[in-house]
Amino acid sequence: MSVAAALAAGHLVAGFVEPFASPFLAVGNTAIDLTPHPVKDFAIRTFGEDDKPVLLGGMAVVITLVAVAAGLLSRRSAVPGAVVAALLGVLAFAAVLARPSVGSAGLLAPVASLLVGVGVFWWLHSLARRARGARTPIQDSAPGSTPEGASTRTVDWDVPGLGRRRFLVTSTAVAAGAGVAAAAGQLFTGRVDVEASRRSIRLSPDSLAPPIPAGADFAGDGTPGFITSNADFYRVDTALSVPRLRAQDWRMRIHGMVDRELVLTYDDLIGRPLVEKTITLCCVSNEVGGPYVSTTNFIGVSLRDLLLEAGVRPGSDQLATRSVDGWTCGTPVEAIMDPNSDALLAVGMNGEPLPVEHGFPVRMVVPGLYGFVSATKWLVDAELTTFEAFDPYWVRRGWAQRAPIKTMSRVDRPKGFEEVPVGRFVAAGIAWAQHTGVDKVEVRLDEGPWQQAELSTEVNIDTWRMWRVELDLPPGSHTIQCRATDRSGYTQTDERAEPIPDGASGWQSIVFTAQA
Ligand SMILES: Nc1nc2c(c(=O)[nH]1)N[C@H]1C(S)=C(S)[C@@H](COP(=O)(O)O)O[C@H]1N2
Ligand SMILES: [Mo]
């Protein structure tokens, strides 16, 4: 009970001072940062976008078990329980301290947790002891005689007594209070009305992306629609609580190896020429055949123009960017300065301001590079530096410094183990080779000859392209495979690689059955 009160108190105080200082979330975030990569990968694979609720739920279970164990240990003396409450408090303090984005006011939250935890525990414990050990004098001697003369009996747990009732009432009240405090903390965390800030923004790009031509997808044959809706766009990040940054509070500094530092406000940014570009974004954690690839119309400002204005000093080869929650990313300067690159500081997706979980108010996008080296969400800082001098978040955890998206293709129809009718069957899927362009996709059935698939109308070389092919299926079990060739003449390798360090490779194989 006291641990719940402690966490709730911390969450409440954090709600007031700094959302990222919530001890519960800080422990969760630190757990994410310290998780060895294979485990994190497993979590993303197994739980997909539910990985965060699963983590928080798991933490709640572990904390409850620790609290129950401490309670059992404390039946005789308050010391073990108080020590556990204090240790949890110190752990929370350390976790909050380890968050790169929490200011000193934020430290109030775990301190509140620690004090409330130990205090409430001590208080409830003394009530419980009084309840159990209450000595009821039995009036077998005259009133006024000395207590030593009175025989006593102990009121046990199973004897309803005033003390016990008081203990139960008090701990129930503490539980209810903890619930209210946690809810209030959640409410105050949400007090920064980021949705109102989003709603007040109207983006009118100076140049629109060309309309998506009919024939850009084969959705009727099982591919995704060409443009992914904002709600369906894949989401990958390390943020347990989505950062809430209002556009009017947003500032970004471009500094480091530059001739002139720039500080931008949101109004400065959207006052510049706004362009709309259709771009396919992809995550390095995407397995062969995986879902972490989506396409949208990003609206933003040319990052190249901004860097030209700041003046990149010779020798700087990495742009290190940082999000408001402390995540970092390193992007090759040459990929941004390439005159054909559509590297953006993006403010919108599909005509709307960025959804909060996709980086509102401002994120980065560089076509052709995996998201972890290019797509910083909730962006607040950009420093021109070198690959030699700075390792960002994922590089410190064993991932590649440079990570261009690998030429890849995926089968969307048939699904694995699907049963389809024999005879004429249209298989379909997608392929991507951002910034190079897809030249052809080939498909083979049961390791037979490669057959060239029909490609959808190309939108631009930074987006995915759909394919479909007509097959004649004999009855029985089949395997279908696909491979893409890009405009550089490179054909997707069949060599299998794990996502770490620089992206998965290999041909997808789908096993399915044709039935008469
Ligand atoms: N602040 C922040 N930005 C981030 C990340 C993150 O963890 N934190 N993850 C990156 C990764 S790995 C990818 S693939 C893309 C995903 O962007 P999306 O969630 O909008 O699809 O965001 C990138 N930007
Ligand atoms: Mo990613």
Side-chain angles (χ1 to χ4, degrees):
M1 218 59 85
S2 51
V3 170
L7 287 174
H11 204 60
L12 175 66
V13 173
F16 275 111
V17 291
E18 282 213 48
F20 294 121
S22 167
F24 192 57
L25 296 180
V27 170
N29 277 316
T30 305
I32 289 183
D33 291 354
L34 296 179
T35 303
H37 209 276
V39 180
K40 214 174 310 195
D41 235 39
F42 168 82
I44 293 178
R45 262 205 314 278
T46 314
F47 304 116
E49 312 202 341
D50 296 328
D51 56 344
K52 288 164 191 104
V54 168
L55 172 74
L56 289 179
M59 274 170 51
V61 169
V62 169
I63 290 172
T64 307
L65 289 179
V66 168
V68 168
L72 290 177
L73 278 175
S74 306
R75 299 188 68 159
R76 296 261 162 269
S77 141
V79 174
V83 166
V84 168
L87 276 179
L88 285 176
V90 169
L91 184 74
F93 191 77
V96 173
L97 209 58
R99 291 276 92 208
S101 55
V102 175
S104 46
L107 291 175
L108 284 175
V111 169
S113 270
L114 205 163
L115 294 180
V116 170
V118 176
V120 169
F121 177 77
W122 209 273
W123 179 44
L124 286 181
H125 194 272
S126 68
L127 278 182
R129 274 176 65 101
R130 241 178 283 152
R132 184 164 39 170
R135 284 161 173 270
T136 314
I138 293 174
Q139 307 282 312
D140 61 352
S141 57
S145 66
T146 59
E148 292 84 57
S151 75
T152 58
R153 79 184 160 85
T154 301
V155 178
D156 218 333
W157 277 113
D158 49 7
V159 179
L162 195 65
R164 179 169 179 260
R165 196 166 312 129
R166 188 156 161 229
F167 171 72
L168 289 179
V169 167
T170 310
S171 41
T172 306
V174 167
V180 170
Q186 196 59 38
L187 214 68
F188 281 116
T189 303
R191 83 195 182 285
V192 177
D193 197 348
V194 69
E195 279 304 332
S197 165
R198 255 192 103 232
R199 274 194 306 271
S200 68
I201 294 164
R202 291 282 166 278
L203 298 172
S204 37
D206 300 276
S207 81
L208 289 172
I212 306 299
D217 65 44
F218 297 139
D221 291 310
T223 71
F226 193 85
I227 295 289
T228 315
S229 70
N230 288 356
D232 290 341
F233 203 96
Y234 85 89
R235 176 185 166 199
V236 169
D237 54 62
T238 61
L240 266 183
S241 57
V242 178
R244 300 170 158 278
L245 189 55
R246 297 187 307 176
Q248 57 266 46
D249 300 328
W250 184 83
R251 295 282 180 288
M252 175 178 152
R253 198 157 75 101
I254 301 179
H255 61 112
M257 297 168 71
V258 293
D259 296 330
R260 285 164 296 280
E261 266 192 38
L262 296 183
V263 176
L264 295 166
T265 66
Y266 192 79
D267 285 341
D268 294 339
L269 190 66
I270 63 172
R272 288 170 173 261
L274 275 183
V275 295
E276 186 183 44
K277 301 281 177 182
T278 312
I279 295 169
T280 297
L281 189 63
C282 180
C283 181
V284 71
S285 296
N286 199 43
E287 303 275 343
V288 173
Y292 298 136
V293 56
S294 302
T295 300
T296 192
N297 285 314
F298 280 112
I299 298 168
V301 171
S302 161
L303 184 52
R304 178 172 186 267
D305 287 353
L306 285 166
L307 293 195
L308 283 175
E309 198 171 309
V312 178
R313 295 236 184 98
S316 170
D317 58 3
Q318 177 175 233
L319 181 69
T321 48
R322 194 162 51 77
S323 68
V324 71
D325 64 335
W327 186 81
T328 53
C329 173
T331 309
V333 170
E334 65 190 11
I336 299 165
M337 299 312 282
D338 167 6
N340 298 315
S341 153
D342 283 325
L344 298 177
L345 288 192
V347 292
M349 265 168 90
N350 291 335
E352 286 177 26
L354 292 175
V356 178
E357 58 281 13
H358 294 293
F360 183 82
V362 181
R363 76 175 305 171
M364 205 167 113
V365 179
V366 185
L369 304 179
Y370 286 118
F372 82 111
V373 292
S374 68
T376 310
K377 305 192 273 190
W378 315 291
L379 174 65
V380 291
D381 190 87
E383 179 178 354
L384 274 302
T385 176
T386 63
F387 279 105
E388 180 72 17
F390 177 73
D391 283 340
Y393 186 93
W394 285 115
V395 173
R396 277 179 241 157
R397 290 160 176 80
W399 292 73
Q401 277 191 323
R402 294 168 190 263
I405 296 174
K406 293 180 178 176
T407 295
M408 183 55 66
S409 57
R410 181 179 92 182
V411 181
D412 285 83
R413 176 176 291 169
K415 296 289 177 204
F417 307 109
E418 194 176 329
E419 289 176 1
V420 304
V422 292
R424 182 190 174 275
F425 176 76
V426 176
I430 58 184
W432 59 88
Q434 284 92 326
H435 219 55
T436 309
V438 174
D439 192 45
K440 69 174 177 190
V441 171
E442 297 162 293
V443 174
R444 67 176 181 180
L445 193 65
D446 304 324
E447 311 222 340
W450 289 103
Q451 216 177 313
Q452 199 159 327
E454 177 193 353
L455 291 180
S456 62
T457 308
E458 182 168 70
V459 171
N460 68 53
I461 60 170
D462 292 330
T463 60
W464 58 18
R465 217 166 157 188
M466 316 297 175
W467 61 263
R468 69 180 169 193
V469 70
E470 198 176 306
L471 303 170
D472 188 23
L473 300 175
S477 170
H478 299 288
T479 303
I480 185 173
Q481 289 175 298
C482 62
R483 66 177 189 193
T485 299
D486 64 32
R487 289 263 164 69
S488 76
Y490 169 83
T491 298
Q492 181 187 335
T493 175
D494 68 337
E495 221 171 282
R496 278 261 163 190
E498 289 294 300
I500 190 166
D502 64 355
S505 68
W507 297 335
Q508 191 185 4
S509 275
I510 291 276
V511 176
F512 67 106
T513 310
Q515 279 185 332

